[in-house]
Structures are given as structure tokens and as C-alpha cells.
Amino acid sequence: MTPILQTAIELIVAAGLVGGGFFALVGSWGLIRLPRPMQRLHAPTKATTIGVGAALLASSIGSLPVTGTVSIQEWLITLFLLLTAPISALFLAKTLILRGEADPDLPDPGTGTPWATLGQERPDP
Amino acid sequence: MILGYALTFMFACIGLAFALNIWRLFTAPTLTDRIVTLDTMTINAIALVVLYGIRAGTGLYLEAAVLLALTGFLGTVAYCKFLLRGSIIE
């Protein structure tokens, strides 16, 4: 591996780390800063997708000069995080609606029935 | 050289994010906000583990990151399910 290529890889990894750190900070700051509960669901997704994503990308490329291959495990973590983020967001939004903590001007679902989270029969726990 | 500075910068950013999260955990206005904050803390912990792996120069720490991602997601869903239905496994 030529030195110039090594420097280029190091620069890419450093850029990924700096960007990832910045966005992780933005995600946690938005959690405090945003005024409404449904908006606060949105802030940590930046930390998930860009923050951790950039760090994992940097780790994956950073292993290239050491081992000679791009490691695959980071991509699995990124894939898993991207797959599970919408599911947990859906559950959190349902919790907000059920507990009445969502915005008061929640739009109508458009099916003629109330929101499914509120309308269904709840079993005795 | 430049990699060391970038690593230190990101360690500082994640540490500050952790501090903000812990403050939020104690001052959250609603219960759902606490769940969101715990989810964000798990994400930050994954980033921290991956960073430590980069600094140590091994891929061993990635398995800890995978486990954290798994249990973090399950924890969030379990908390939400408990609030939604009153029980986790019906």
C-alpha cells in the first residue's frame, strides 16, 4: 500500500469520525432542545443513522490498512440499526398516542374510526 | 496523527452527548421521553464501543456492539409494550 493511499484512507476515517461525533451530539442536544414530544422522537434518529453510521463506516474502512480487507461486521450493525429504528419509533409513537402525550392537534387517521391504538379493546393485564 | 485528533474529538462529543442524555433522563417531562433517552444512550454506547475498538486496533469489540444493538432494541420495545399493553409477553 502506497503512503499516499494510506494518508487518503486516514483522512476519510478522520472525516467520518468528526462528522459522526458532531451528529451524535446534535441528536442528544435535539432531545433536550425540541419542544414537542413527537418532534423529540425525530432528533435521536440523526444520532442513529449518521452518527453511528459514520463511525462504523470509518471503522470498516480503517481496518483496510491493517488487515488488507474491509471488515463486514460493521455493515451488519448498520443494517440492524437501520432495520430496528423504524420499529422502535412506531412503538414509541403508539405509546405517546395511548398515554395522551402526543400533540393535541393529532390529525385524523382518515378511516372513519379513531386511532387504532386508542380504539381497540384492551385486555386485562 | 490526524486520526488521533479525530478519535479524541469524537470521544469528547459522545461523552458530552452522554452527559446531556443523563441530564435529560432525570428532567424528562414524560415517561415516553425517558424511553427515547434510554434508546439514544444505547446508540451512544454502541458508538463508544466502536470508537474504543478503533483506538485498540482490533475487531473484537464489534461483537459487544452487536450485542448492545440487539439488547437496546429489545429493551425499547419491551418498555413500550409494557406501557401499551400492561404486560410484555401476552
Side-chain angles (χ1 to χ4, degrees), chain B residues 24-44:
Chain B
R24 183 64 180 176
L25 203 58
F26 285 110
T27 62
T30 66
L31 206 52
T32 319
D33 274 319
R34 290 206 167 90
I35 305 177
V36 179
T37 311
L38 274 178
D39 196 40
T40 315
M41 281 178 87
T42 319
I43 300 293
N44 285 336

mmCIF file with all atom_site columns, all heavy atoms in Angstrom, chain B residues 24-44:
data_model
loop_
_atom_site.group_PDB
_atom_site.id
_atom_site.type_symbol
_atom_site.label_atom_id
_atom_site.label_alt_id
_atom_site.label_comp_id
_atom_site.label_asym_id
_atom_site.label_entity_id
_atom_site.label_seq_id
_atom_site.pdbx_PDB_ins_code
_atom_site.Cartn_x
_atom_site.Cartn_y
_atom_site.Cartn_z
_atom_site.occupancy
_atom_site.B_iso_or_equiv
_atom_site.pdbx_formal_charge
_atom_site.auth_seq_id
_atom_site.auth_comp_id
_atom_site.auth_asym_id
_atom_site.auth_atom_id
_atom_site.pdbx_PDB_model_num
ATOM 1   N N   . ARG B 1 24 ? -31.065 14.634 30.732 1.00 0.00 ? 24 ARG B N   1
ATOM 2   C CA  . ARG B 1 24 ? -32.415 14.504 30.196 1.00 0.00 ? 24 ARG B CA  1
ATOM 3   C C   . ARG B 1 24 ? -33.187 13.402 30.910 1.00 0.00 ? 24 ARG B C   1
ATOM 4   O O   . ARG B 1 24 ? -34.386 13.509 31.151 1.00 0.00 ? 24 ARG B O   1
ATOM 5   C CB  . ARG B 1 24 ? -32.330 14.193 28.694 1.00 0.00 ? 24 ARG B CB  1
ATOM 6   C CG  . ARG B 1 24 ? -33.660 14.119 28.020 1.00 0.00 ? 24 ARG B CG  1
ATOM 7   C CD  . ARG B 1 24 ? -34.323 15.456 28.083 1.00 0.00 ? 24 ARG B CD  1
ATOM 8   N NE  . ARG B 1 24 ? -35.614 15.432 27.451 1.00 0.00 ? 24 ARG B NE  1
ATOM 9   C CZ  . ARG B 1 24 ? -36.423 16.473 27.456 1.00 0.00 ? 24 ARG B CZ  1
ATOM 10  N NH1 . ARG B 1 24 ? -36.052 17.594 28.035 1.00 0.00 ? 24 ARG B NH1 1
ATOM 11  N NH2 . ARG B 1 24 ? -37.581 16.414 26.867 1.00 0.00 ? 24 ARG B NH2 1
ATOM 12  N N   . LEU B 1 25 ? -32.468 12.320 31.255 1.00 0.00 ? 25 LEU B N   1
ATOM 13  C CA  . LEU B 1 25 ? -33.120 11.176 31.916 1.00 0.00 ? 25 LEU B CA  1
ATOM 14  C C   . LEU B 1 25 ? -33.740 11.617 33.239 1.00 0.00 ? 25 LEU B C   1
ATOM 15  O O   . LEU B 1 25 ? -34.790 11.119 33.627 1.00 0.00 ? 25 LEU B O   1
ATOM 16  C CB  . LEU B 1 25 ? -32.067 10.091 32.158 1.00 0.00 ? 25 LEU B CB  1
ATOM 17  C CG  . LEU B 1 25 ? -32.529 8.664  32.327 1.00 0.00 ? 25 LEU B CG  1
ATOM 18  C CD1 . LEU B 1 25 ? -33.304 8.223  31.108 1.00 0.00 ? 25 LEU B CD1 1
ATOM 19  C CD2 . LEU B 1 25 ? -31.335 7.770  32.522 1.00 0.00 ? 25 LEU B CD2 1
ATOM 20  N N   . PHE B 1 26 ? -33.094 12.564 33.930 1.00 0.00 ? 26 PHE B N   1
ATOM 21  C CA  . PHE B 1 26 ? -33.619 12.983 35.226 1.00 0.00 ? 26 PHE B CA  1
ATOM 22  C C   . PHE B 1 26 ? -34.659 14.079 35.106 1.00 0.00 ? 26 PHE B C   1
ATOM 23  O O   . PHE B 1 26 ? -35.501 14.232 35.976 1.00 0.00 ? 26 PHE B O   1
ATOM 24  C CB  . PHE B 1 26 ? -32.471 13.434 36.135 1.00 0.00 ? 26 PHE B CB  1
ATOM 25  C CG  . PHE B 1 26 ? -31.682 12.291 36.678 1.00 0.00 ? 26 PHE B CG  1
ATOM 26  C CD1 . PHE B 1 26 ? -30.391 12.058 36.244 1.00 0.00 ? 26 PHE B CD1 1
ATOM 27  C CD2 . PHE B 1 26 ? -32.234 11.433 37.609 1.00 0.00 ? 26 PHE B CD2 1
ATOM 28  C CE1 . PHE B 1 26 ? -29.664 10.999 36.728 1.00 0.00 ? 26 PHE B CE1 1
ATOM 29  C CE2 . PHE B 1 26 ? -31.518 10.367 38.104 1.00 0.00 ? 26 PHE B CE2 1
ATOM 30  C CZ  . PHE B 1 26 ? -30.234 10.146 37.661 1.00 0.00 ? 26 PHE B CZ  1
ATOM 31  N N   . THR B 1 27 ? -34.600 14.872 34.014 1.00 0.00 ? 27 THR B N   1
ATOM 32  C CA  . THR B 1 27 ? -35.510 16.005 33.896 1.00 0.00 ? 27 THR B CA  1
ATOM 33  C C   . THR B 1 27 ? -36.573 15.784 32.836 1.00 0.00 ? 27 THR B C   1
ATOM 34  O O   . THR B 1 27 ? -37.244 16.744 32.456 1.00 0.00 ? 27 THR B O   1
ATOM 35  C CB  . THR B 1 27 ? -34.735 17.279 33.563 1.00 0.00 ? 27 THR B CB  1
ATOM 36  O OG1 . THR B 1 27 ? -34.092 17.089 32.293 1.00 0.00 ? 27 THR B OG1 1
ATOM 37  C CG2 . THR B 1 27 ? -33.682 17.589 34.594 1.00 0.00 ? 27 THR B CG2 1
ATOM 38  N N   . ALA B 1 28 ? -36.742 14.537 32.342 1.00 0.00 ? 28 ALA B N   1
ATOM 39  C CA  . ALA B 1 28 ? -37.689 14.309 31.252 1.00 0.00 ? 28 ALA B CA  1
ATOM 40  C C   . ALA B 1 28 ? -39.113 14.622 31.701 1.00 0.00 ? 28 ALA B C   1
ATOM 41  O O   . ALA B 1 28 ? -39.505 14.242 32.803 1.00 0.00 ? 28 ALA B O   1
ATOM 42  C CB  . ALA B 1 28 ? -37.604 12.867 30.780 1.00 0.00 ? 28 ALA B CB  1
ATOM 43  N N   . PRO B 1 29 ? -39.900 15.318 30.864 1.00 0.00 ? 29 PRO B N   1
ATOM 44  C CA  . PRO B 1 29 ? -41.267 15.658 31.265 1.00 0.00 ? 29 PRO B CA  1
ATOM 45  C C   . PRO B 1 29 ? -42.218 14.470 31.236 1.00 0.00 ? 29 PRO B C   1
ATOM 46  O O   . PRO B 1 29 ? -43.151 14.421 32.026 1.00 0.00 ? 29 PRO B O   1
ATOM 47  C CB  . PRO B 1 29 ? -41.684 16.726 30.245 1.00 0.00 ? 29 PRO B CB  1
ATOM 48  C CG  . PRO B 1 29 ? -40.803 16.503 29.073 1.00 0.00 ? 29 PRO B CG  1
ATOM 49  C CD  . PRO B 1 29 ? -39.521 15.959 29.591 1.00 0.00 ? 29 PRO B CD  1
ATOM 50  N N   . THR B 1 30 ? -42.018 13.507 30.337 1.00 0.00 ? 30 THR B N   1
ATOM 51  C CA  . THR B 1 30 ? -42.932 12.371 30.254 1.00 0.00 ? 30 THR B CA  1
ATOM 52  C C   . THR B 1 30 ? -42.148 11.065 30.324 1.00 0.00 ? 30 THR B C   1
ATOM 53  O O   . THR B 1 30 ? -40.936 11.041 30.125 1.00 0.00 ? 30 THR B O   1
ATOM 54  C CB  . THR B 1 30 ? -43.730 12.393 28.932 1.00 0.00 ? 30 THR B CB  1
ATOM 55  O OG1 . THR B 1 30 ? -42.827 12.184 27.859 1.00 0.00 ? 30 THR B OG1 1
ATOM 56  C CG2 . THR B 1 30 ? -44.470 13.690 28.743 1.00 0.00 ? 30 THR B CG2 1
ATOM 57  N N   . LEU B 1 31 ? -42.917 9.985  30.581 1.00 0.00 ? 31 LEU B N   1
ATOM 58  C CA  . LEU B 1 31 ? -42.295 8.667  30.686 1.00 0.00 ? 31 LEU B CA  1
ATOM 59  C C   . LEU B 1 31 ? -41.743 8.216  29.338 1.00 0.00 ? 31 LEU B C   1
ATOM 60  O O   . LEU B 1 31 ? -40.676 7.585  29.269 1.00 0.00 ? 31 LEU B O   1
ATOM 61  C CB  . LEU B 1 31 ? -43.349 7.675  31.187 1.00 0.00 ? 31 LEU B CB  1
ATOM 62  C CG  . LEU B 1 31 ? -42.874 6.441  31.925 1.00 0.00 ? 31 LEU B CG  1
ATOM 63  C CD1 . LEU B 1 31 ? -41.958 6.829  33.050 1.00 0.00 ? 31 LEU B CD1 1
ATOM 64  C CD2 . LEU B 1 31 ? -44.068 5.689  32.462 1.00 0.00 ? 31 LEU B CD2 1
ATOM 65  N N   . THR B 1 32 ? -42.464 8.549  28.254 1.00 0.00 ? 32 THR B N   1
ATOM 66  C CA  . THR B 1 32 ? -42.001 8.142  26.922 1.00 0.00 ? 32 THR B CA  1
ATOM 67  C C   . THR B 1 32 ? -40.668 8.792  26.586 1.00 0.00 ? 32 THR B C   1
ATOM 68  O O   . THR B 1 32 ? -39.824 8.181  25.925 1.00 0.00 ? 32 THR B O   1
ATOM 69  C CB  . THR B 1 32 ? -43.050 8.514  25.881 1.00 0.00 ? 32 THR B CB  1
ATOM 70  O OG1 . THR B 1 32 ? -44.343 8.218  26.395 1.00 0.00 ? 32 THR B OG1 1
ATOM 71  C CG2 . THR B 1 32 ? -42.843 7.727  24.612 1.00 0.00 ? 32 THR B CG2 1
ATOM 72  N N   . ASP B 1 33 ? -40.472 10.034 27.061 1.00 0.00 ? 33 ASP B N   1
ATOM 73  C CA  . ASP B 1 33 ? -39.195 10.711 26.830 1.00 0.00 ? 33 ASP B CA  1
ATOM 74  C C   . ASP B 1 33 ? -38.042 9.954  27.462 1.00 0.00 ? 33 ASP B C   1
ATOM 75  O O   . ASP B 1 33 ? -36.941 9.922  26.924 1.00 0.00 ? 33 ASP B O   1
ATOM 76  C CB  . ASP B 1 33 ? -39.238 12.121 27.414 1.00 0.00 ? 33 ASP B CB  1
ATOM 77  C CG  . ASP B 1 33 ? -39.833 13.092 26.432 1.00 0.00 ? 33 ASP B CG  1
ATOM 78  O OD1 . ASP B 1 33 ? -39.495 12.976 25.250 1.00 0.00 ? 33 ASP B OD1 1
ATOM 79  O OD2 . ASP B 1 33 ? -40.623 13.941 26.853 1.00 0.00 ? 33 ASP B OD2 1
ATOM 80  N N   . ARG B 1 34 ? -38.333 9.330  28.614 1.00 0.00 ? 34 ARG B N   1
ATOM 81  C CA  . ARG B 1 34 ? -37.261 8.549  29.267 1.00 0.00 ? 34 ARG B CA  1
ATOM 82  C C   . ARG B 1 34 ? -36.892 7.349  28.408 1.00 0.00 ? 34 ARG B C   1
ATOM 83  O O   . ARG B 1 34 ? -35.719 6.988  28.309 1.00 0.00 ? 34 ARG B O   1
ATOM 84  C CB  . ARG B 1 34 ? -37.718 8.092  30.645 1.00 0.00 ? 34 ARG B CB  1
ATOM 85  C CG  . ARG B 1 34 ? -37.826 9.237  31.620 1.00 0.00 ? 34 ARG B CG  1
ATOM 86  C CD  . ARG B 1 34 ? -37.659 8.780  33.053 1.00 0.00 ? 34 ARG B CD  1
ATOM 87  N NE  . ARG B 1 34 ? -37.457 9.957  33.883 1.00 0.00 ? 34 ARG B NE  1
ATOM 88  C CZ  . ARG B 1 34 ? -38.442 10.626 34.439 1.00 0.00 ? 34 ARG B CZ  1
ATOM 89  N NH1 . ARG B 1 34 ? -39.678 10.223 34.274 1.00 0.00 ? 34 ARG B NH1 1
ATOM 90  N NH2 . ARG B 1 34 ? -38.185 11.695 35.162 1.00 0.00 ? 34 ARG B NH2 1
ATOM 91  N N   . ILE B 1 35 ? -37.911 6.721  27.781 1.00 0.00 ? 35 ILE B N   1
ATOM 92  C CA  . ILE B 1 35 ? -37.611 5.572  26.917 1.00 0.00 ? 35 ILE B CA  1
ATOM 93  C C   . ILE B 1 35 ? -36.785 6.031  25.719 1.00 0.00 ? 35 ILE B C   1
ATOM 94  O O   . ILE B 1 35 ? -35.808 5.389  25.336 1.00 0.00 ? 35 ILE B O   1
ATOM 95  C CB  . ILE B 1 35 ? -38.908 4.881  26.470 1.00 0.00 ? 35 ILE B CB  1
ATOM 96  C CG1 . ILE B 1 35 ? -39.748 4.495  27.667 1.00 0.00 ? 35 ILE B CG1 1
ATOM 97  C CG2 . ILE B 1 35 ? -38.590 3.658  25.650 1.00 0.00 ? 35 ILE B CG2 1
ATOM 98  C CD1 . ILE B 1 35 ? -41.063 3.885  27.294 1.00 0.00 ? 35 ILE B CD1 1
ATOM 99  N N   . VAL B 1 36 ? -37.159 7.170  25.112 1.00 0.00 ? 36 VAL B N   1
ATOM 100 C CA  . VAL B 1 36 ? -36.405 7.692  23.971 1.00 0.00 ? 36 VAL B CA  1
ATOM 101 C C   . VAL B 1 36 ? -34.967 7.984  24.386 1.00 0.00 ? 36 VAL B C   1
ATOM 102 O O   . VAL B 1 36 ? -34.012 7.676  23.669 1.00 0.00 ? 36 VAL B O   1
ATOM 103 C CB  . VAL B 1 36 ? -37.079 8.972  23.417 1.00 0.00 ? 36 VAL B CB  1
ATOM 104 C CG1 . VAL B 1 36 ? -36.283 9.521  22.258 1.00 0.00 ? 36 VAL B CG1 1
ATOM 105 C CG2 . VAL B 1 36 ? -38.478 8.689  22.969 1.00 0.00 ? 36 VAL B CG2 1
ATOM 106 N N   . THR B 1 37 ? -34.810 8.549  25.597 1.00 0.00 ? 37 THR B N   1
ATOM 107 C CA  . THR B 1 37 ? -33.470 8.874  26.067 1.00 0.00 ? 37 THR B CA  1
ATOM 108 C C   . THR B 1 37 ? -32.637 7.618  26.286 1.00 0.00 ? 37 THR B C   1
ATOM 109 O O   . THR B 1 37 ? -31.446 7.582  25.931 1.00 0.00 ? 37 THR B O   1
ATOM 110 C CB  . THR B 1 37 ? -33.566 9.673  27.373 1.00 0.00 ? 37 THR B CB  1
ATOM 111 O OG1 . THR B 1 37 ? -34.491 10.728 27.192 1.00 0.00 ? 37 THR B OG1 1
ATOM 112 C CG2 . THR B 1 37 ? -32.244 10.243 27.760 1.00 0.00 ? 37 THR B CG2 1
ATOM 113 N N   . LEU B 1 38 ? -33.272 6.559  26.843 1.00 0.00 ? 38 LEU B N   1
ATOM 114 C CA  . LEU B 1 38 ? -32.533 5.311  27.041 1.00 0.00 ? 38 LEU B CA  1
ATOM 115 C C   . LEU B 1 38 ? -32.103 4.727  25.697 1.00 0.00 ? 38 LEU B C   1
ATOM 116 O O   . LEU B 1 38 ? -30.985 4.216  25.559 1.00 0.00 ? 38 LEU B O   1
ATOM 117 C CB  . LEU B 1 38 ? -33.400 4.306  27.792 1.00 0.00 ? 38 LEU B CB  1
ATOM 118 C CG  . LEU B 1 38 ? -33.362 4.405  29.306 1.00 0.00 ? 38 LEU B CG  1
ATOM 119 C CD1 . LEU B 1 38 ? -34.309 3.391  29.909 1.00 0.00 ? 38 LEU B CD1 1
ATOM 120 C CD2 . LEU B 1 38 ? -31.946 4.127  29.800 1.00 0.00 ? 38 LEU B CD2 1
ATOM 121 N N   . ASP B 1 39 ? -32.998 4.823  24.695 1.00 0.00 ? 39 ASP B N   1
ATOM 122 C CA  . ASP B 1 39 ? -32.667 4.337  23.354 1.00 0.00 ? 39 ASP B CA  1
ATOM 123 C C   . ASP B 1 39 ? -31.455 5.097  22.797 1.00 0.00 ? 39 ASP B C   1
ATOM 124 O O   . ASP B 1 39 ? -30.513 4.493  22.266 1.00 0.00 ? 39 ASP B O   1
ATOM 125 C CB  . ASP B 1 39 ? -33.891 4.531  22.460 1.00 0.00 ? 39 ASP B CB  1
ATOM 126 C CG  . ASP B 1 39 ? -33.800 3.717  21.191 1.00 0.00 ? 39 ASP B CG  1
ATOM 127 O OD1 . ASP B 1 39 ? -33.340 2.570  21.278 1.00 0.00 ? 39 ASP B OD1 1
ATOM 128 O OD2 . ASP B 1 39 ? -34.198 4.223  20.130 1.00 0.00 ? 39 ASP B OD2 1
ATOM 129 N N   . THR B 1 40 ? -31.473 6.426  22.968 1.00 0.00 ? 40 THR B N   1
ATOM 130 C CA  . THR B 1 40 ? -30.352 7.235  22.481 1.00 0.00 ? 40 THR B CA  1
ATOM 131 C C   . THR B 1 40 ? -29.065 6.893  23.219 1.00 0.00 ? 40 THR B C   1
ATOM 132 O O   . THR B 1 40 ? -27.977 6.866  22.619 1.00 0.00 ? 40 THR B O   1
ATOM 133 C CB  . THR B 1 40 ? -30.677 8.727  22.679 1.00 0.00 ? 40 THR B CB  1
ATOM 134 O OG1 . THR B 1 40 ? -32.006 8.955  22.262 1.00 0.00 ? 40 THR B OG1 1
ATOM 135 C CG2 . THR B 1 40 ? -29.738 9.586  21.880 1.00 0.00 ? 40 THR B CG2 1
ATOM 136 N N   . MET B 1 41 ? -29.191 6.614  24.526 1.00 0.00 ? 41 MET B N   1
ATOM 137 C CA  . MET B 1 41 ? -27.992 6.249  25.290 1.00 0.00 ? 41 MET B CA  1
ATOM 138 C C   . MET B 1 41 ? -27.397 4.951  24.773 1.00 0.00 ? 41 MET B C   1
ATOM 139 O O   . MET B 1 41 ? -26.171 4.802  24.713 1.00 0.00 ? 41 MET B O   1
ATOM 140 C CB  . MET B 1 41 ? -28.326 6.120  26.778 1.00 0.00 ? 41 MET B CB  1
ATOM 141 C CG  . MET B 1 41 ? -28.430 7.445  27.482 1.00 0.00 ? 41 MET B CG  1
ATOM 142 S SD  . MET B 1 41 ? -28.876 7.235  29.188 1.00 0.00 ? 41 MET B SD  1
ATOM 143 C CE  . MET B 1 41 ? -27.268 7.002  29.901 1.00 0.00 ? 41 MET B CE  1
ATOM 144 N N   . THR B 1 42 ? -28.265 3.999  24.387 1.00 0.00 ? 42 THR B N   1
ATOM 145 C CA  . THR B 1 42 ? -27.748 2.745  23.829 1.00 0.00 ? 42 THR B CA  1
ATOM 146 C C   . THR B 1 42 ? -26.991 3.010  22.534 1.00 0.00 ? 42 THR B C   1
ATOM 147 O O   . THR B 1 42 ? -25.916 2.451  22.305 1.00 0.00 ? 42 THR B O   1
ATOM 148 C CB  . THR B 1 42 ? -28.901 1.771  23.563 1.00 0.00 ? 42 THR B CB  1
ATOM 149 O OG1 . THR B 1 42 ? -29.812 1.847  24.631 1.00 0.00 ? 42 THR B OG1 1
ATOM 150 C CG2 . THR B 1 42 ? -28.391 0.378  23.391 1.00 0.00 ? 42 THR B CG2 1
ATOM 151 N N   . ILE B 1 43 ? -27.564 3.890  21.688 1.00 0.00 ? 43 ILE B N   1
ATOM 152 C CA  . ILE B 1 43 ? -26.905 4.225  20.416 1.00 0.00 ? 43 ILE B CA  1
ATOM 153 C C   . ILE B 1 43 ? -25.536 4.846  20.692 1.00 0.00 ? 43 ILE B C   1
ATOM 154 O O   . ILE B 1 43 ? -24.521 4.489  20.074 1.00 0.00 ? 43 ILE B O   1
ATOM 155 C CB  . ILE B 1 43 ? -27.797 5.203  19.618 1.00 0.00 ? 43 ILE B CB  1
ATOM 156 C CG1 . ILE B 1 43 ? -29.157 4.590  19.307 1.00 0.00 ? 43 ILE B CG1 1
ATOM 157 C CG2 . ILE B 1 43 ? -27.097 5.633  18.345 1.00 0.00 ? 43 ILE B CG2 1
ATOM 158 C CD1 . ILE B 1 43 ? -29.115 3.439  18.370 1.00 0.00 ? 43 ILE B CD1 1
ATOM 159 N N   . ASN B 1 44 ? -25.502 5.765  21.680 1.00 0.00 ? 44 ASN B N   1
ATOM 160 C CA  . ASN B 1 44 ? -24.219 6.409  22.003 1.00 0.00 ? 44 ASN B CA  1
ATOM 161 C C   . ASN B 1 44 ? -23.224 5.398  22.562 1.00 0.00 ? 44 ASN B C   1
ATOM 162 O O   . ASN B 1 44 ? -22.025 5.492  22.281 1.00 0.00 ? 44 ASN B O   1
ATOM 163 C CB  . ASN B 1 44 ? -24.446 7.532  23.019 1.00 0.00 ? 44 ASN B CB  1
ATOM 164 C CG  . ASN B 1 44 ? -25.065 8.747  22.374 1.00 0.00 ? 44 ASN B CG  1
ATOM 165 O OD1 . ASN B 1 44 ? -24.932 8.935  21.171 1.00 0.00 ? 44 ASN B OD1 1
ATOM 166 N ND2 . ASN B 1 44 ? -25.734 9.553  23.163 1.00 0.00 ? 44 ASN B ND2 1
#
